[in-house]
Amino acid sequence: MSEHSIVLLGGPDSGKTNYMSRLWLALNSKKAELVASRNPTDIKYVEGGAEHILGGAFAPRSDTNSLPDDLTLDIPVRLASDPEGKEVLISVPDVSGELWKEAIERGDVTREWMEALQQASGALLFVRVLSAANVTPLDWVNAAEYLSWAGEGAPKDEQGEEVLVPTQVALCEMLRFLDETLLRVGGRPPKVAVLITAWDLVDGHRRPRGPNVYLKEEYPLFAGRLADCTSLDVRTFGVSVVGGDFEDPEFTAKFQEGDIDDMGYVEVKDPEKRSLKIHDVTLPVAWVVGSLFDDE
């Protein structure tokens, strides 16, 4: 069995916990592109979130005070198309969004997190649609000031109030961390999947245009950085873990009457730029780790 690590990065309320919980349900169902070949040794982290989802509610945001410092989820997986084939151990160290936020504000990460990044073969980078924690995109008049900022602690305005780092600047900084640290397995550029979570909340007329267009409109600075990045293999996915919003009573009733395996989807563009809606939430992870199944 080969052991490979992928890291999850995202700010507060970016959808990591709910995605990992839904991912475990999909892997364990044996019906997705990736399947869990056996149970991980410790799945309390995702089991708790899975219970919320199965009960018709999203998992609460991770409490940084209640999580162990070395929380890592190890999931052995195989391709569903090759049940007797190679097994890859996906080791996912979790760092809460709040702690990533603090790291971005300081301009660096701790030694332990840096080691986790340096041992990783790929990554999932999260941003959530309509999250209250998203900081609106920069206006271009002030962009240079933010981009040139580096120092200890968050910057202050003239009144001494903390100036929040815009989400797209934070995403660019997290991408920089990944570019500088991820392993180049077999000399290939590491794969980074950008997951736009709560994709079902995107306006109906915008959703068919796909996740790349959404990033260009909402986070133009980050979208431009992705377009210019040649040292990483990046693909963007729109992800809805259950296919709707549990705050909608009509959807919740429909969900509770249905089958979880039929709920949730990933939207991505095919090589012909057509929008594809695929009911398999393992797809982003399968894309990141797919080439690892071929390595000796």
Side-chain angles (χ1 to χ4, degrees), residues 70-226:
D70 59 348
L71 176 62
T72 299
L73 180 67
D74 294 329
I75 306 178
V77 299
R78 284 194 176 99
L79 294 171
S81 59
D82 190 11
E84 302 300 323
K86 183 177 179 181
E87 184 179 271
V88 170
L89 179 68
I90 301 177
S91 179
V92 185
D94 182 75
V95 178
S96 74
E98 284 77 8
L99 294 179
W100 273 117
K101 175 178 176 290
E102 293 175 6
I104 297 299
E105 290 172 350
R106 292 195 309 266
D108 62 5
V109 298
T110 66
R111 178 178 57 83
E112 292 79 11
W113 300 351
M114 185 61 71
E115 289 176 354
L117 289 171
Q118 291 170 339
Q119 295 169 5
S121 309
L124 307 181
L125 181 54
F126 289 77
V127 61
R128 190 169 81 84
V129 175
L130 298 180
S131 170
N134 288 343
V135 180
T136 54
L138 293 171
D139 65 86
W140 294 105
V141 173
N142 295 319
E145 177 183 351
Y146 278 111
L147 290 173
S148 64
W149 169 77
E152 297 182 0
K156 308 288 185 179
D157 62 18
E158 294 179 354
Q159 287 72 42
E161 297 292 331
E162 179 179 327
V163 177
L164 299 176
V165 176
T167 297
Q168 62 176 348
V169 173
L171 289 168
C172 288
E173 188 70 355
M174 284 187 273
L175 190 71
R176 180 183 70 82
F177 287 143
L178 295 173
D179 197 8
E180 293 178 353
T181 56
L182 290 178
L183 291 173
R184 266 64 179 171
V185 179
R188 297 186 298 266
K191 289 187 174 183
V192 176
V194 177
L195 275 63
I196 306 174
T197 59
W199 183 249
D200 52 278
L201 296 180
V202 176
D203 294 343
H205 71 281
R206 298 177 68 191
R207 202 179 308 139
R209 298 162 65 188
N212 288 325
V213 173
Y214 177 84
L215 279 185
K216 290 178 182 178
E217 293 176 347
E218 295 293 322
Y219 305 106
L221 181 69
F222 179 56
R225 178 68 184 89
L226 292 179

Side-chain angles (χ1 to χ4, degrees), residues 54 56 62-63 71 80 83 103 121 145 160 166 182 187 215 237 240 248 270 294:
L54 292 173
S62 299
D63 180 357
L71 176 62
S121 309
E145 177 183 351
L182 290 178
L215 279 185
F237 300 83
S240 175
D248 178 357
D270 69 7
D294 300 324

Side-chain angles (χ1 to χ4, degrees), residues 235-247:
R235 193 174 189 185
T236 305
F237 300 83
V239 178
S240 175
V241 295
V242 293
D245 189 353
F246 286 137
E247 293 186 5

